[in-house]
Amino acid sequence: MHEIICPHCKKAFKVDEAGYADILKQVRDGKFEQELHDRLALAEQDKLNAVELARSQLASESQRSAAGKDAEIQSLKAKLDAGETARKLAVAEALSAVEKQRDALANELEQAKRDKQAATELADAKLVNGLQTAAAAKDAEIQGLKARLDAIAVAQKLAITEAVSQVERERDELKSGLSRAELEKQLAEKSLKDKYETQIKDRDEAIERLRDMKVRLSTKMVGETLEQHCETEFNRIRATAFPRAYFEKDNDARSGSKGDYIFRDTDEAGTEIVSIMFEMKNESDRTATKNKNEDFLKELDKDRAEKGCEYAVLVSLLEPDSELYNTGIVDVFHRFPKMYVVRPQFFLPMITLLRNAAMNSLKYKSELALVKAQSIDITNFEADLDTFKNAFAKNYDLASRRFQTAIDEIDKSIDHLQKTKEALLGTDRNLRLANDKAQEVTIKKLTRGNPTMAGKFADLKDEAP
């Protein structure tokens, strides 16, 4: 397939090999016509050049003939005296030859003009015929191209229609898919809702059963049930989370009271990290009086102190409707130090939090001990530094006084040298003045007012050779 741009509408379209060959043939025919037209133009130019050459030759020959005639006229004039008849005959013959040559050249020129006109008419006829043929071929080609463009337009319309139909089908399928998805979503939501409602219903029924069971249990049995729950929960993670921990019931009642459980954890060196005294109180404990959590805090703090535990935690189901205790871990440090009240679900998180805090505290304690040791070193260093500073200050003060004494002596020496300098400068001035005065001394000045010395100098002057 070849792509061709229409010269009229400037649109690109593709044609097959046969159509391209036809168009190429037409282009070649047009090129042939162009070459023919060019060659006719060259032939016309050649004819014009031939006519111009003939004219030049005719003019040259006319000039040569005129020159010959002039020579002959001169000869005839020379021979005029020989005989008028012979002269006239020669003149007539010469004129006849010239006229013949002129007529022949005129005939040739006319024939050339007729040949040129015929050739021009023939070339024009061929050119018109060729142009008409080319125009007819181009019209046919244009009609064919228009037909192909129409076919292409129809094909494009069909393709667009099919594409629109495909898009509409995909749109309808998407709508249908969205509807199915929405329906599936609604069904899933309904299924989840039913599932959760069923679970909630089962949970409510389990809670009711537990409540009924707790009502039927005795106070001791209910308390032991909470303790067993906490112990079971701890033993479930003991091996992984607290491999070196101690978690046992408090059986030491020598002081008159005891807690429920004691938790202790140590590091690899056997150093205790954290210790916790636990007390478990169920909501059915002492059902007759319905005590509150606060009623057990004082005794729990006492047990913590007697058993040497760092923290005390009350795991309680008392006051089930209290928003304070139902929100999470409650710190009661305002009543007793390092004491917390939690629900059973926060039993293990409470141990983890206190242990992690103790681990951080242990690290901080180690760092604090290191800092204290460094502080002692810094204190010793500062003491040594103070001793050095005092000794240095003493030596500096002594050196400063001696330096000041030396400065004073230097100043005195400078004053003495300055005075010596001034004395020397004064001597220099006096010597310069003396030299100036010595330079001004002359014999005339010395003998002025002294006739004896003037005579002596005159005699010496006369005795000089």
Side-chain angles (χ1 to χ4, degrees):
M1 299 297 287
H2 298 272
E3 185 173 303
I4 298 176
I5 299 176
C6 179
H8 298 286
C9 62
K10 305 299 181 181
K11 292 183 178 179
F13 59 91
K14 294 183 179 180
V15 296
D16 54 9
E17 296 294 332
Y20 182 78
D22 292 339
I23 293 172
L24 186 61
K25 181 176 180 301
Q26 294 172 10
V27 172
R28 289 177 178 173
D29 292 340
K31 185 176 181 182
F32 174 78
E33 293 296 333
Q34 182 66 32
E35 292 178 354
L36 178 61
H37 184 270
D38 294 337
R39 290 185 180 181
L40 289 175
L42 292 174
E44 179 68 18
Q45 186 65 33
D46 291 337
K47 288 180 181 180
L48 292 175
N49 294 334
V51 170
E52 289 296 328
L53 181 60
R55 287 179 179 176
S56 300
Q57 291 177 353
L58 180 59
S60 179
E61 290 176 359
S62 298
Q63 289 177 358
R64 287 195 300 271
S65 178
K69 296 302 182 291
D70 292 336
E72 288 178 356
I73 289 170
Q74 294 296 330
S75 178
L76 288 174
K77 285 182 179 180
K79 295 178 179 180
L80 184 58
D81 296 337
E84 185 67 23
T85 304
R87 183 184 64 78
K88 290 181 179 180
L89 181 59
V91 171
E93 289 178 356
L95 290 174
S96 177
V98 170
E99 288 177 354
K100 287 180 180 179
Q101 291 177 358
R102 182 194 65 190
D103 294 339
L105 291 173
N107 290 332
E108 289 179 0
L109 181 60
E110 187 64 27
Q111 185 63 34
K113 288 181 178 180
R114 286 196 296 270
D115 292 341
K116 174 185 175 183
Q117 183 68 27
T120 302
E121 291 177 355
L122 179 61
D124 291 340
K126 288 183 177 180
L127 180 60
V128 170
N129 188 17
L131 291 174
Q132 289 177 352
T133 303
K138 288 181 179 179
D139 291 337
E141 179 185 355
I142 290 171
Q143 293 298 326
L145 292 175
K146 287 182 177 179
R148 290 180 182 177
L149 289 175
D150 293 338
I152 290 172
V154 172
Q156 288 179 347
K157 288 181 179 179
L158 291 175
I160 291 171
T161 303
E162 291 179 358
V164 171
S165 300
Q166 180 67 24
V167 171
E168 289 178 349
R169 285 196 298 272
E170 292 178 356
R171 181 197 62 194
D172 295 337
E173 290 177 357
L174 289 174
K175 287 183 178 179
S176 177
L178 288 174
S179 299
R180 287 196 302 271
E182 185 67 24
L183 181 59
E184 291 175 357
K185 178 183 177 183
Q186 293 176 357
L187 292 175
E189 289 177 352
K190 187 175 184 302
S191 175
L192 288 174
K193 184 178 180 181
D194 295 339
K195 178 181 177 181
Y196 286 132
E197 287 179 351
T198 302
Q199 291 179 355
I200 291 171
K201 183 178 179 181
D202 293 339
R203 186 172 297 175
D204 292 339
E205 292 177 354
I207 290 171
E208 289 297 328
R209 288 196 301 271
L210 290 174
R211 287 177 177 174
D212 293 339
M213 182 184 67
K214 287 181 180 179
V215 171
R216 291 192 297 270
L217 289 175
S218 65
T219 300
K220 185 175 183 301
M221 292 177 63
V222 170
E224 289 179 353
T225 301
L226 179 58
E227 292 175 4
Q228 291 173 1
H229 166 76
C230 293
E231 185 174 358
T232 301
E233 290 296 313
F234 181 83
N235 289 331
R236 284 177 55 246
I237 64 169
R238 179 196 290 267
T240 55
F242 307 103
R244 292 183 296 273
Y246 169 88
F247 183 75
E248 301 293 340
K249 287 184 67 67
D250 182 16
N251 296 319
D252 185 4
R254 289 175 296 176
S255 61
S257 64
K258 64 183 182 66
D260 289 331
Y261 281 89
I262 295 177
F263 171 85
R264 298 183 188 276
D265 197 7
T266 59
D267 60 8
E268 295 178 355
T271 303
E272 183 176 287
I273 300 172
V274 65
S275 57
I276 308 171
M277 171 64 72
F278 282 100
E279 182 75 17
M280 283 72 170
K281 293 297 178 182
N282 202 318
E283 63 177 349
S284 296
D285 285 352
R286 303 187 181 182
T287 56
T289 58
K290 296 292 183 182
N291 290 329
K292 297 182 179 181
N293 291 317
E294 192 172 352
D295 298 336
F296 302 94
L297 300 181
K298 183 177 181 180
E299 188 172 354
L300 178 59
D301 181 66
K302 177 183 176 183
D303 294 336
R304 176 187 69 82
E306 290 178 351
K307 304 301 168 59
C309 294
E310 184 178 2
Y311 295 96
V313 177
L314 176 62
V315 182
S316 172
L317 287 173
L318 303 179
E319 303 181 60
D321 298 328
S322 173
E323 294 183 1
L324 174 63
Y325 298 111
N326 291 335
T327 54
I329 298 171
V330 179
D331 187 348
V332 291
F333 67 92
H334 59 286
R335 296 297 308 277
F336 299 97
K338 296 186 177 182
M339 185 175 293
Y340 301 89
V341 179
V342 298
R343 294 303 188 192
Q345 62 267 30
F346 296 105
F347 166 68
L348 291 177
M350 191 68 219
I351 296 176
T352 304
L353 288 174
L354 293 177
R355 180 181 180 274
N356 292 338
M359 289 292 292
N360 293 331
S361 177
L362 184 64
K363 181 177 68 173
Y364 295 146
K365 289 178 181 178
S366 300
E367 293 179 356
L368 181 60
L370 179 61
V371 170
K372 287 181 178 179
Q374 293 175 350
S375 298
I376 293 172
D377 293 339
I378 292 172
T379 302
N380 295 332
F381 174 76
E382 289 178 349
D384 295 339
L385 181 61
D386 289 337
T387 302
F388 170 76
K389 286 166 66 177
N390 293 331
F392 180 81
K394 182 179 180 181
N395 293 332
Y396 176 79
D397 184 60
L398 180 60
S400 177
R401 288 198 301 270
R402 291 184 177 179
F403 180 78
Q404 187 62 40
T405 302
I407 293 295
D408 293 339
E409 293 298 328
I410 291 172
D411 289 338
K412 292 178 181 179
S413 299
I414 290 172
D415 292 338
H416 179 69
L417 291 173
Q418 186 68 28
K419 292 177 181 180
T420 304
K421 177 183 177 182
E422 291 176 356
L424 291 172
L425 290 175
T427 303
D428 180 68
R429 285 195 299 272
N430 292 325
L431 289 173
R432 187 173 63 254
L433 292 172
N435 182 60
D436 293 339
K437 291 179 179 179
Q439 294 295 327
E440 294 175 354
V441 173
T442 61
I443 295 174
K444 186 177 181 180
K445 289 182 178 180
L446 290 175
T447 58
R448 182 183 300 168
N450 193 343
T452 301
M453 291 302 297
K456 294 286 186 183
F457 279 108
D459 291 339
L460 288 174
K461 185 175 181 182
D462 292 338
E463 289 177 358

